[in-house]
mmCIF file of all heavy atoms in Angstrom:
data_model
loop_
_atom_site.group_PDB
_atom_site.id
_atom_site.type_symbol
_atom_site.label_atom_id
_atom_site.label_comp_id
_atom_site.label_asym_id
_atom_site.label_seq_id
_atom_site.Cartn_x
_atom_site.Cartn_y
_atom_site.Cartn_z
ATOM 1 N N THR A 1259 274.836 -53.470 136.620
ATOM 2 C CA THR A 1259 275.015 -53.367 138.080
ATOM 3 C C THR A 1259 273.996 -54.213 138.850
ATOM 4 O O THR A 1259 273.950 -54.111 140.076
ATOM 5 C CB THR A 1259 274.878 -51.905 138.523
ATOM 6 O OG1 THR A 1259 273.614 -51.391 138.104
ATOM 7 C CG2 THR A 1259 275.990 -51.051 137.931
ATOM 8 N N PHE A 1260 273.200 -55.025 138.177
ATOM 9 C CA PHE A 1260 272.211 -55.870 138.862
ATOM 10 C C PHE A 1260 272.943 -56.815 139.816
ATOM 11 O O PHE A 1260 273.790 -57.609 139.391
ATOM 12 C CB PHE A 1260 271.412 -56.655 137.822
ATOM 13 C CG PHE A 1260 270.340 -57.519 138.408
ATOM 14 C CD1 PHE A 1260 269.379 -56.991 139.261
ATOM 15 C CD2 PHE A 1260 270.298 -58.876 138.113
ATOM 16 C CE1 PHE A 1260 268.383 -57.787 139.801
ATOM 17 C CE2 PHE A 1260 269.310 -59.681 138.648
ATOM 18 C CZ PHE A 1260 268.352 -59.134 139.501
ATOM 19 N N PRO A 1261 272.666 -56.741 141.123
ATOM 20 C CA PRO A 1261 273.482 -57.469 142.119
ATOM 21 C C PRO A 1261 273.603 -58.973 141.889
ATOM 22 O O PRO A 1261 274.729 -59.505 141.967
ATOM 23 C CB PRO A 1261 272.771 -57.152 143.439
ATOM 24 C CG PRO A 1261 272.116 -55.836 143.197
ATOM 25 C CD PRO A 1261 271.692 -55.854 141.767
ATOM 26 N N PRO A 1262 272.515 -59.715 141.600
ATOM 27 C CA PRO A 1262 272.717 -61.150 141.360
ATOM 28 C C PRO A 1262 273.451 -61.454 140.057
ATOM 29 O O PRO A 1262 273.929 -62.564 139.874
ATOM 30 C CB PRO A 1262 271.283 -61.710 141.311
ATOM 31 C CG PRO A 1262 270.457 -60.702 142.018
ATOM 32 C CD PRO A 1262 271.094 -59.386 141.705
ATOM 33 N N GLY A 1263 273.548 -60.484 139.171
ATOM 34 C CA GLY A 1263 274.235 -60.691 137.903
ATOM 35 C C GLY A 1263 275.676 -60.237 137.973
ATOM 36 O O GLY A 1263 276.418 -60.595 138.898
ATOM 37 N N PHE A 1264 276.105 -59.450 136.973
ATOM 38 C CA PHE A 1264 277.484 -58.978 136.932
ATOM 39 C C PHE A 1264 277.791 -58.012 138.068
ATOM 40 O O PHE A 1264 278.941 -57.828 138.436
ATOM 41 C CB PHE A 1264 277.754 -58.305 135.572
ATOM 42 C CG PHE A 1264 279.196 -58.000 135.342
ATOM 43 C CD1 PHE A 1264 280.094 -59.010 134.997
ATOM 44 C CD2 PHE A 1264 279.676 -56.712 135.476
ATOM 45 C CE1 PHE A 1264 281.431 -58.726 134.793
ATOM 46 C CE2 PHE A 1264 281.023 -56.416 135.262
ATOM 47 C CZ PHE A 1264 281.899 -57.445 134.920
ATOM 48 N N GLY A 1265 276.766 -57.398 138.639
ATOM 49 C CA GLY A 1265 276.982 -56.442 139.714
ATOM 50 C C GLY A 1265 277.593 -57.033 140.963
ATOM 51 O O GLY A 1265 278.173 -56.303 141.777
ATOM 52 N N GLN A 1266 277.501 -58.371 141.149
ATOM 53 C CA GLN A 1266 278.082 -58.979 142.344
ATOM 54 C C GLN A 1266 279.617 -58.933 142.321
ATOM 55 O O GLN A 1266 280.250 -59.093 143.366
ATOM 56 C CB GLN A 1266 277.618 -60.431 142.446
ATOM 57 C CG GLN A 1266 278.060 -61.299 141.277
ATOM 58 C CD GLN A 1266 277.514 -62.703 141.373
ATOM 59 O OE1 GLN A 1266 277.425 -63.271 142.462
ATOM 60 N NE2 GLN A 1266 277.142 -63.283 140.238
ATOM 61 N N PHE A 1267 280.201 -58.719 141.147
ATOM 62 C CA PHE A 1267 281.655 -58.648 141.048
ATOM 63 C C PHE A 1267 282.179 -57.214 141.118
ATOM 64 O O PHE A 1267 283.388 -56.999 141.006
ATOM 65 C CB PHE A 1267 282.113 -59.288 139.726
ATOM 66 C CG PHE A 1267 281.643 -60.694 139.543
ATOM 67 C CD1 PHE A 1267 280.705 -61.006 138.573
ATOM 68 C CD2 PHE A 1267 282.131 -61.712 140.341
ATOM 69 C CE1 PHE A 1267 280.257 -62.301 138.393
ATOM 70 C CE2 PHE A 1267 281.692 -63.023 140.174
ATOM 71 C CZ PHE A 1267 280.748 -63.322 139.202
ATOM 72 N N MET A 1268 281.313 -56.219 141.272
ATOM 73 C CA MET A 1268 281.752 -54.816 141.276
ATOM 74 C C MET A 1268 280.975 -53.976 142.285
ATOM 75 O O MET A 1268 280.837 -52.776 142.123
ATOM 76 C CB MET A 1268 281.596 -54.202 139.881
ATOM 77 C CG MET A 1268 280.228 -54.397 139.269
ATOM 78 S SD MET A 1268 280.004 -53.549 137.690
ATOM 79 C CE MET A 1268 279.970 -51.868 138.228
ATOM 80 N N ALA A 1269 280.485 -54.612 143.345
ATOM 81 C CA ALA A 1269 279.746 -53.901 144.398
ATOM 82 C C ALA A 1269 278.605 -53.090 143.796
ATOM 83 O O ALA A 1269 278.416 -51.912 144.106
ATOM 84 C CB ALA A 1269 280.682 -53.005 145.205
ATOM 85 N N GLY A 1270 277.831 -53.723 142.939
ATOM 86 C CA GLY A 1270 276.798 -53.028 142.185
ATOM 87 C C GLY A 1270 275.644 -52.521 143.013
ATOM 88 O O GLY A 1270 274.962 -51.574 142.608
ATOM 89 N N GLN A 1271 275.398 -53.141 144.178
ATOM 90 C CA GLN A 1271 274.233 -52.757 144.959
ATOM 91 C C GLN A 1271 274.479 -51.568 145.882
ATOM 92 O O GLN A 1271 273.551 -51.067 146.518
ATOM 93 C CB GLN A 1271 273.757 -53.947 145.786
ATOM 94 C CG GLN A 1271 274.701 -54.337 146.912
ATOM 95 C CD GLN A 1271 274.277 -55.617 147.587
ATOM 96 O OE1 GLN A 1271 274.469 -56.722 147.076
ATOM 97 N NE2 GLN A 1271 273.662 -55.471 148.753
ATOM 98 N N LEU A 1272 275.714 -51.080 145.961
ATOM 99 C CA LEU A 1272 276.022 -49.963 146.847
ATOM 100 C C LEU A 1272 275.786 -48.629 146.140
ATOM 101 O O LEU A 1272 276.035 -48.489 144.939
ATOM 102 C CB LEU A 1272 277.477 -50.028 147.313
ATOM 103 C CG LEU A 1272 277.892 -51.232 148.158
ATOM 104 C CD1 LEU A 1272 279.338 -51.079 148.591
ATOM 105 C CD2 LEU A 1272 276.993 -51.393 149.368
ATOM 106 N N THR A 1273 275.317 -47.675 146.894
ATOM 107 C CA THR A 1273 275.216 -46.315 146.371
ATOM 108 C C THR A 1273 276.604 -45.664 146.394
ATOM 109 O O THR A 1273 277.563 -46.210 146.948
ATOM 110 C CB THR A 1273 274.241 -45.484 147.206
ATOM 111 O OG1 THR A 1273 274.759 -45.357 148.545
ATOM 112 C CG2 THR A 1273 272.866 -46.138 147.255
ATOM 113 N N GLN A 1274 276.716 -44.498 145.813
ATOM 114 C CA GLN A 1274 278.003 -43.805 145.800
ATOM 115 C C GLN A 1274 278.458 -43.465 147.210
ATOM 116 O O GLN A 1274 279.645 -43.581 147.531
ATOM 117 C CB GLN A 1274 277.893 -42.535 144.956
ATOM 118 C CG GLN A 1274 277.728 -42.787 143.469
ATOM 119 C CD GLN A 1274 277.825 -41.514 142.648
ATOM 120 O OE1 GLN A 1274 278.198 -40.458 143.155
ATOM 121 N NE2 GLN A 1274 277.479 -41.599 141.378
ATOM 122 N N HIS A 1275 277.532 -43.043 148.048
ATOM 123 C CA HIS A 1275 277.890 -42.689 149.427
ATOM 124 C C HIS A 1275 278.383 -43.916 150.184
ATOM 125 O O HIS A 1275 279.412 -43.860 150.886
ATOM 126 C CB HIS A 1275 276.665 -42.090 150.129
ATOM 127 C CG HIS A 1275 276.957 -41.544 151.490
ATOM 128 N ND1 HIS A 1275 276.986 -42.344 152.624
ATOM 129 C CD2 HIS A 1275 277.258 -40.287 151.924
ATOM 130 C CE1 HIS A 1275 277.272 -41.609 153.677
ATOM 131 N NE2 HIS A 1275 277.445 -40.357 153.281
ATOM 132 N N GLU A 1276 277.690 -45.036 150.041
ATOM 133 C CA GLU A 1276 278.098 -46.267 150.733
ATOM 134 C C GLU A 1276 279.433 -46.776 150.210
ATOM 135 O O GLU A 1276 280.277 -47.249 150.984
ATOM 136 C CB GLU A 1276 277.016 -47.329 150.551
ATOM 137 C CG GLU A 1276 275.703 -46.985 151.244
ATOM 138 C CD GLU A 1276 274.570 -47.913 150.845
ATOM 139 O OE1 GLU A 1276 274.738 -48.645 149.840
ATOM 140 O OE2 GLU A 1276 273.529 -47.912 151.521
ATOM 141 N N SER A 1277 279.653 -46.686 148.902
ATOM 142 C CA SER A 1277 280.930 -47.131 148.327
ATOM 143 C C SER A 1277 282.086 -46.289 148.849
ATOM 144 O O SER A 1277 283.152 -46.817 149.186
ATOM 145 C CB SER A 1277 280.872 -47.044 146.803
ATOM 146 O OG SER A 1277 279.852 -47.872 146.285
ATOM 147 N N LEU A 1278 281.882 -44.968 148.929
ATOM 148 C CA LEU A 1278 282.951 -44.091 149.385
ATOM 149 C C LEU A 1278 283.270 -44.328 150.861
ATOM 150 O O LEU A 1278 284.442 -44.292 151.269
ATOM 151 C CB LEU A 1278 282.555 -42.637 149.150
ATOM 152 C CG LEU A 1278 283.684 -41.603 149.162
ATOM 153 C CD1 LEU A 1278 284.766 -41.985 148.168
ATOM 154 C CD2 LEU A 1278 283.147 -40.224 148.846
ATOM 155 N N VAL A 1279 282.253 -44.573 151.669
ATOM 156 C CA VAL A 1279 282.486 -44.871 153.089
ATOM 157 C C VAL A 1279 283.350 -46.117 153.241
ATOM 158 O O VAL A 1279 284.282 -46.166 154.054
ATOM 159 C CB VAL A 1279 281.141 -45.025 153.823
ATOM 160 C CG1 VAL A 1279 281.355 -45.608 155.219
ATOM 161 C CG2 VAL A 1279 280.423 -43.697 153.921
ATOM 162 N N ALA A 1280 283.065 -47.144 152.431
ATOM 163 C CA ALA A 1280 283.837 -48.380 152.514
ATOM 164 C C ALA A 1280 285.260 -48.192 152.007
ATOM 165 O O ALA A 1280 286.214 -48.712 152.593
ATOM 166 C CB ALA A 1280 283.129 -49.478 151.722
ATOM 167 N N LEU A 1281 285.431 -47.434 150.919
ATOM 168 C CA LEU A 1281 286.756 -47.265 150.334
ATOM 169 C C LEU A 1281 287.680 -46.448 151.230
ATOM 170 O O LEU A 1281 288.903 -46.633 151.211
ATOM 171 C CB LEU A 1281 286.641 -46.599 148.956
ATOM 172 C CG LEU A 1281 286.001 -47.444 147.856
ATOM 173 C CD1 LEU A 1281 285.736 -46.603 146.622
ATOM 174 C CD2 LEU A 1281 286.897 -48.634 147.504
#
Side-chain angles (χ1 to χ4, degrees):
T1259 57
F1260 182 54
F1264 190 76
Q1266 62 183 322
F1267 304 111
M1268 51 175 290
Q1271 69 187 77
L1272 297 183
T1273 64
Q1274 291 188 10
H1275 187 276
E1276 294 169 346
S1277 299
L1278 198 55
V1279 169
L1281 291 171

